[in-house]
Amino acid sequence: MPKSTPPETTEQSRAFRTYIAEKGLRATRQRMAVFEAARTLPGHYTAEDLLKKARSLDRTVSRATIYRALPLLVGSAVIREVDVGRDHKYYLAEVGPTNFRAQLVCEGCDTIVEVEAPFMEWYGKAVAAKHGMRPISQKLQVTALCDRCQKRRTHRP
Amino acid sequence: MPKSTPPETTEQSRAFRTYIAEKGLRATRQRMAVFEAARTLPGHYTAEDLLKKARSLDRTVSRATIYRALPLLVGSAVIREVDVGRDHKYYLAEVGPTNFRAQLVCEGCDTIVEVEAPFMEWYGKAVAAKHGMRPISQKLQVTALCDRCQKRRTHRP
DNA sequence: CTGGCTGCAAACCATTTGCATCACC
DNA sequence: GGTGATGCAAATGGTTTGCAGCCAG
């Protein structure tokens, strides 16, 4: 059996290189390190997490490069941006074509759980149409307290 | 017929004074000016809008006081905070007990339309419960293009 | 009186940007 | 070799905070 995913030779990696080339951009060492870090990190991570991981692959990656790479990674559907109104945004490696998801966010520990919610997509489109607007995207976010945080403390300090 | 709403003598005003007193806080001139501005401004407004309006009522109101008053106004249900992931938050005077609302946001001009969406509330609670979490709040946001912005330009510059 | 408030200005902090240099293609 | 990319450090901008004086209760 293949040892997890062979880095740098993935189909996804080729797709990303193509995406970049099409825009007349360049597949630099740093950019590919960020790409590799972004698709590898588990769960929801921040730009800072991404920087740390990318640096472990290529010491020369700077914070500015991270922020400059993020729009490319989102644009090429390598990652998805998740903004739950916290102080920083979260990012998430895309596994494949993604159905509409809702975010369940724990108010205590900021843990995010993604839930498929295809009905929501339909609902949002209907609401927009009813107001004569052309729908672009939609977001459903449920704030709640996870088990652990319920036990630890009912309210925030 | 009464001329719109008599300022400073509203039932809402009394309720706010009570809320403040209960917390051992004080109903200062500036704070009441911010209150009056907040409940009076139409539609969705920013902290900066609120500052301008409050200053028109009491010249001495500072930006810091606005930001320090906002949590009180939200906590006493005089206004509601609406965060649609833009660069600044929006606020909205509460008319009465509010049912669950979704926000329809025009990507072109940032105009926000509030839509009743009671179904969402049920849905969010169900999703949270299914994951063993205690639901606190939920938010449905639809980004779209309004009529005017559709005609002006299909995509952002 | 006195502890909560205020204005002012400086601090925050995630993200963005200007600039001189570097390195893909 | 030319243009896009990079690192660094400084800038941004909405919001927060420290501080010394002020004032509501």
Side-chain angles (χ1 to χ4, degrees):
Chain A
M1 63 185 283
K3 20 183 337 194
S4 69
T5 337
E8 287 300 296
T9 335
T10 328
E11 181 182 338
Q12 201 182 16
S13 152
R14 249 172 279 127
F16 183 60
R17 291 191 124 94
T18 303
Y19 175 86
I20 280 200
E22 275 173 353
K23 298 216 156 194
L25 306 179
R26 294 169 186 176
T28 63
R29 189 160 40 88
Q30 293 90 337
R31 194 169 271 169
M32 291 313 286
V34 179
F35 162 79
E36 200 51 32
R39 74 173 198 83
T40 296
L41 275 175
H44 295 78
Y45 49 86
T46 66
E48 205 58 26
D49 298 332
L50 184 56
L51 174 61
K52 239 177 263 161
K53 175 75 175 186
R55 274 190 169 153
S56 78
L57 301 176
D58 180 333
R59 175 144 343 201
T60 73
V61 173
S62 74
R63 186 170 285 100
T65 292
I66 295 289
Y67 282 108
R68 287 191 269 234
L70 280 171
L72 294 177
L73 294 166
V74 171
S76 61
V78 170
I79 63 178
R80 188 155 41 89
E81 187 183 270
V82 177
D83 182 355
V84 289
R86 292 290 183 280
D87 46 357
H88 34 57
K89 288 174 179 160
Y90 288 94
Y91 299 89
L92 180 65
E94 281 279 32
V95 268
T98 313
N99 297 320
F100 183 79
R101 303 283 182 84
Q103 275 82 41
L104 241 179
V105 187
C106 175
E107 179 160 287
C109 57
D110 283 15
T111 300
I112 303 175
V113 180
E114 303 245 334
V115 184
E116 297 224 343
F119 177 73
M120 286 302 82
E121 188 172 15
W122 170 83
Y123 187 85
K125 282 180 180 167
V127 166
K130 192 192 291 185
H131 288 257
M133 295 174 73
R134 192 152 68 79
I136 296 176
S137 71
Q138 49 220 282
K139 184 158 65 174
L140 173 63
Q141 204 182 105
V142 182
T143 304
L145 271 184
C146 74
D147 231 358
R148 181 202 304 235
C149 288
Q150 271 178 67
K151 283 165 190 156
R152 190 185 338 199
R153 181 170 301 174
T154 304
H155 297 296
R156 296 239 219 188
Chain B
M1 61 186 281
K3 13 180 349 191
S4 68
T5 338
E8 288 300 295
T9 336
T10 328
E11 179 182 341
Q12 200 182 17
S13 153
R14 249 172 278 127
F16 183 60
R17 292 190 122 95
T18 304
Y19 174 86
I20 280 199
E22 276 173 352
K23 299 218 156 195
L25 306 180
R26 294 170 185 175
T28 63
R29 191 160 38 88
Q30 293 87 337
R31 194 170 272 169
M32 292 313 287
V34 179
F35 162 80
E36 200 51 32
R39 75 174 198 83
T40 296
L41 274 175
H44 295 78
Y45 49 86
T46 66
E48 205 57 27
D49 297 332
L50 184 55
L51 173 61
K52 238 176 266 162
K53 175 75 176 186
R55 274 191 169 152
S56 79
L57 301 175
D58 181 333
R59 175 150 340 209
T60 73
V61 173
S62 73
R63 186 171 285 101
T65 292
I66 294 290
Y67 282 108
R68 287 191 270 235
L70 280 171
L72 294 177
L73 293 165
V74 171
S76 62
V78 170
I79 62 177
R80 186 155 43 90
E81 188 183 270
V82 177
D83 181 355
V84 289
R86 292 290 183 280
D87 46 357
H88 35 58
K89 289 173 178 157
Y90 288 94
Y91 299 90
L92 179 65
E94 281 279 33
V95 268
T98 311
N99 298 319
F100 183 80
R101 303 283 183 84
Q103 274 82 40
L104 243 177
V105 187
C106 176
E107 178 160 289
C109 58
D110 282 14
T111 301
I112 302 175
V113 179
E114 303 246 334
V115 184
E116 297 224 344
F119 178 73
M120 289 301 79
E121 186 171 18
W122 169 83
Y123 187 86
K125 283 180 179 165
V127 167
K130 191 191 294 185
H131 288 258
M133 296 175 72
R134 193 153 68 77
I136 296 176
S137 70
Q138 48 223 284
K139 183 158 66 172
L140 173 63
Q141 206 182 100
V142 182
T143 304
L145 270 184
C146 73
D147 232 357
R148 183 201 304 233
C149 288
Q150 274 178 64
K151 282 165 189 156
R152 192 187 335 201
R153 183 170 302 175
T154 304
H155 297 294
R156 295 239 220 190

